[in-house]
C-alpha cells in the first residue's frame, strides 16, 4: 500500500498549516482579468528602495557570479556602528522571519515550551510547532481593557508571564505587533523582560519600529547589556523598502549569537541584499520620506474609514486593522473584483477583520472608494 509523503513527515510537521502569504498582483490579474490592481496587503513600503540602495544594487550586478560574503562583514560593521555594539552580537538572516525560525531551531525541543500572545505574528506558532515544542498562547487584552487603554487585541504581558515556567525557553513579543498594530509601553516591556527566568529568552520583534512614534517606539536593543537573555530582531523589508531581497538581523549577547550562527545556513543573505541593506541603513532621507508618507497616509485612511461604520484599531505600524462587522472574506472578494488587494486575517481568529496597508495617496483613495462600495448593501 502506497503511503502519502505527509505520513512520512515528522510528527509536528503533519499538524502544521502552511503560511499563506498575501495575494500577489500577478495572481489577481490572472484570476480576474484586471490590469490596474493595487496591493495593500503585505505592509510593504510604497516608495520601494531608496536611491542609495538602488545604486548599490546596480553596482553589485557584475559580482553575482560569486558567492556572497558569508559573514556579511560590511553590513554587520554598519549595524554595529548604528547600535553601538560589537559585531559578534549581530546575526544576519534572510529577513527577520529567518531569525525567528533560527531561534526556534536553536533553543526548542519537544521537551520545552514557548509563549506568545493570542494575536501574534503567525510565524511564531509555526516555528515553535515545527520543532515539536509546546506553544502556549496567552489571551490578548479583552474589549473591556480597550475602553480604558485602547489596546484591545494587544499583548497582555501579565497573562503571558503566568504561562512562563521552568521549561519555557522562548517568549515572543512583537512591538509594535502584526497584525493588530498594537504596542507595549517601554516600562511595561522592560519590567516584563526583567521578570523572566535567566533560562528564558525574550525575543522582541521590532519589524515595524521605524514607523512607531511617541510611546510606541521602544528600542529594546538598548537593554541587551542589562539582559543577556534578550534578543531583538529587525528587518529591512518594511520601512527600508527591501522586502523582495529578504534581509534582517538579530541583536543579542555574543553567546546567543554564537548559538544562532551554529544553525544559520551558509550564505543565507544574498549579495544584493547585503549591499542594499548596508546602503539603506544610512539613507536617512529615504527613511524620513517613508515616515512622512505613512503619517500622511494614515491620517487620510483613518478619516476615510471613519465614514464607513467600521471599527479601526490604534496602530503604530504602516497598516490598520479594520473590523468590518461582517465576514471579511465577503468584503475581501468584493475588493478583489475591484482590483484592490488587502489582507483578511481570519487565520488569526479575526473573522470580520481586514488588515490594510497604508499606500500612496492615490492608492489609499482607491482603497477607500472600493471598500465603501464593498460595504454598501445591495439594493433589493
Amino acid at each position: 500500500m502506497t503511503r502519502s509523503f505527509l505520513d512520512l513527515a515528522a510528527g509536528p510537521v503533519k499538524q502544521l498549516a502552511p503560511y499563506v502569504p498575501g495575494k500577489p498582483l500577478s495572481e489577481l490579474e490572472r484570476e480576474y482579468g484586471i490590469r490596474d490592481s493595487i496591493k495593500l496587503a503585505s505592509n510593504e513600503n510604497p516608495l520601494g528602495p531608496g536611491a542609495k540602495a538602488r545604486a548599490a544594487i546596480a553596482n553589485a550586478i557584475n559580482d553575482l557570479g560569486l558567492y556572497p560574503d558569508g559573514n556579511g562583514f560590511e553590513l554587520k560593521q554598519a549595524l554595529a556602528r548604528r547600535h553601538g555594539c560589537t559585531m559578534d552580537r549581530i546575526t544576519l538572516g534572510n529577513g527577520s522571519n529567518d531569525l525567528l525560525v533560527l531561534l526556534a531551531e536553536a533553543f526548542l525541543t519537544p521537551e520545552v515550551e514557548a509563549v506568545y500572545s493570542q494575536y501574534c505574528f503567525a510565524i511564531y506558532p509555526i516555528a515553535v510547532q515545527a520543532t515539536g515544542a509546546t506553544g502556549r498562547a496567552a489571551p490578548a487584552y479583552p474589549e473591556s481593557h480597550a475602553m480604558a487603554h485602547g489596546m484591545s487585541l494587544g499583548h497582555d504581558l501579565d497573562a503571558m508571564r503566568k504561562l512562563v515556567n521552568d521549561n519555557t525557553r522562548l517568549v515572543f513579543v512583537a512591538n509594535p505587533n502584526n497584525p493588530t498594530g498594537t504596542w507595549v509601553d517601554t516600562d511595561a516591556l522592560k519590567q516584563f523582560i526583567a521578570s523572566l527566568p535567566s533560562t528564558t529568552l525574550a525575543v522582541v520583534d521590532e519589524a515595524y519600529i521605524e514607523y512607531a512614534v511617541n510611546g510606541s517606539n521602544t528600542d529594546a536593543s538598548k537593554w541587551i547589556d542589562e539582559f543577556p537573555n534578550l534578543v531583538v530582531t529587525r528587518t529591512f523589508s518594511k520601512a527600508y523598502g527591501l522586502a523582495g531581497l529578504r534581509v534582517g538581523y538579530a541583536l543579542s549577547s555574543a553567546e546567543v549569537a554564537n548559538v544562532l550562527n551554529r544553525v544559520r545556513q551558509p550564505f543565507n543573505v544574498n549579495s544584493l541584499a547585503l549591499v542594499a541593506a548596508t546602503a539603506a541603513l544610512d539613507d536617512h532621507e529615504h527613511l524620513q520620506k517613508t515616515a512622512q508618507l505613512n503619517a500622511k497616509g494614515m491620517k487620510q485612511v483613518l478619516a476615510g474609514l471613519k465614514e464607513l461604520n467600521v471599527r479601526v484599531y490604534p496602530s503604530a505600524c504602516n497598516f490598520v486593522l479594520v473590523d468590518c462587522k461582517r465576514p471579511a472574506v465577503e468584503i475581501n472578494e468584493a475588493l478583489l473584483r475591484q482590483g484592490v488587494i488587502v489582507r483578511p486575517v481570519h487565520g488569526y481568529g479575526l473573522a470580520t477583520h481586514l488588515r490594510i496597508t497604508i499606500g500612496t495617496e492615490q492608492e489609499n483613495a482607491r482603497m477607500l472608494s472600493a471598500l465603501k462600495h464593498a460595504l454598501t448593501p445591495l439594493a433589493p
Side-chain angles (χ1 to χ4, degrees):
M1 179 178 178
T2 302
R3 302 178 66 186
S4 74
F5 285 104
L6 180 60
D7 291 334
L8 301 177
V13 175
K14 294 178 184 178
Q15 308 302 318
L16 280 175
Y19 177 77
V20 181
K23 185 185 289 288
L25 291 170
S26 57
E27 182 179 341
L28 174 68
E29 293 177 351
R30 284 195 305 269
E31 289 182 11
Y32 293 85
I34 298 169
R35 292 293 174 264
D36 61 344
S37 55
I38 61 171
K39 183 185 178 188
L40 299 175
S42 300
N43 307 336
E44 296 140 332
N45 184 343
L47 296 178
K52 291 184 178 181
R54 292 174 189 267
I57 292 169
N59 290 335
I61 293 294
N62 291 334
D63 293 330
L64 291 185
L66 305 175
Y67 282 105
D69 175 2
N71 291 317
F73 178 84
E74 291 187 2
L75 178 55
K76 281 187 177 180
Q77 188 178 55
L79 289 168
R81 287 196 301 267
R82 170 62 57 87
H83 291 283
C85 68
T86 54
M87 292 170 59
D88 60 355
R89 293 186 170 201
I90 300 168
T91 309
L92 300 181
N94 185 33
S96 57
N97 191 115
D98 184 30
L99 294 154
L100 299 170
V101 173
L102 289 179
L103 283 159
E105 291 176 344
F107 292 100
L108 298 182
T109 67
E111 293 74 37
V112 300
E113 302 177 359
V115 172
Y116 37 78
S117 185
Q118 180 179 3
Y119 301 115
C120 67
F121 181 38
I123 294 302
Y124 306 160
I126 290 175
V128 171
Q129 187 173 334
T131 68
T134 299
R136 300 196 179 278
Y141 276 124
E143 293 295 314
S144 59
H145 186 273
M147 299 300 293
H149 303 280
M151 280 293 123
S152 176
L153 308 185
H155 289 61
D156 185 339
L157 296 182
D158 290 337
M160 293 179 69
R161 183 63 183 84
K162 290 176 182 177
L163 295 181
V164 175
N165 57 51
D166 291 341
N167 290 327
T168 306
R169 292 294 174 266
L170 299 177
V171 175
F172 294 93
V173 178
N175 198 37
N177 184 54
N178 172 30
T180 61
T182 52
W183 61 93
V184 178
D185 290 337
T186 300
D187 290 344
L189 180 59
K190 191 170 186 180
Q191 290 171 14
F192 174 74
I193 296 170
S195 76
L196 295 175
S198 60
T199 53
T200 299
L201 273 69
V203 182
V204 180
D205 180 352
E206 294 183 344
Y208 293 90
I209 192 170
E210 289 83 10
Y211 288 106
V213 295
N214 301 327
S216 62
N217 58 350
T218 297
D219 180 359
S221 70
K222 296 178 180 179
W223 307 334
I224 290 174
D225 283 338
E226 186 174 352
F227 302 115
N229 60 331
L230 171 62
V231 182
V232 176
T233 61
R234 298 275 186 98
T235 185
F236 287 89
S237 295
K238 303 305 179 185
Y240 288 102
L242 300 178
L245 286 179
R246 312 303 300 126
V247 54
Y249 62 99
L251 300 164
S252 67
S253 69
E255 185 177 0
V256 170
N258 176 268
V259 174
L260 293 179
N261 278 303
R262 292 168 185 246
V263 294
R264 180 179 63 86
Q265 292 296 308
F267 312 116
N268 64 328
V269 182
N270 69 72
S271 299
L272 298 185
L274 288 171
V275 298
T278 303
L281 198 62
D282 289 325
D283 195 343
H284 305 296
E285 181 180 356
H286 183 65
L287 207 58
Q288 184 177 29
K289 287 181 180 178
T290 294
Q292 291 173 344
L293 180 68
N294 189 68
K296 183 178 179 181
M298 183 69 75
K299 290 181 180 179
Q300 177 190 6
V301 169
L302 291 179
L305 291 173
K306 188 176 181 180
E307 302 175 1
L308 298 182
N309 191 32
V310 295
R311 177 176 181 178
V312 185
Y313 294 83
S315 175
C317 301
N318 66 330
F319 62 83
V320 289
L321 184 68
V322 180
D323 185 355
C324 299
K325 304 177 183 178
R326 289 164 49 187
V329 291
E330 298 176 5
I331 305 301
N332 184 58
E333 178 65 22
L335 290 172
L336 291 175
R337 293 188 179 280
Q338 298 175 76
V340 176
I341 307 175
V342 297
R343 185 64 183 261
V345 287
H346 51 274
Y348 288 87
L350 299 167
T352 61
H353 296 64
L354 295 173
R355 190 190 67 192
I356 304 173
T357 304
I358 305 300
T360 64
E361 182 178 359
Q362 294 77 16
E363 289 172 335
N364 297 334
R366 181 171 170 188
M367 178 277 297
L368 290 168
S369 176
L371 184 58
K372 180 178 182 179
H373 183 269
L375 290 168
T376 301
L378 297 175

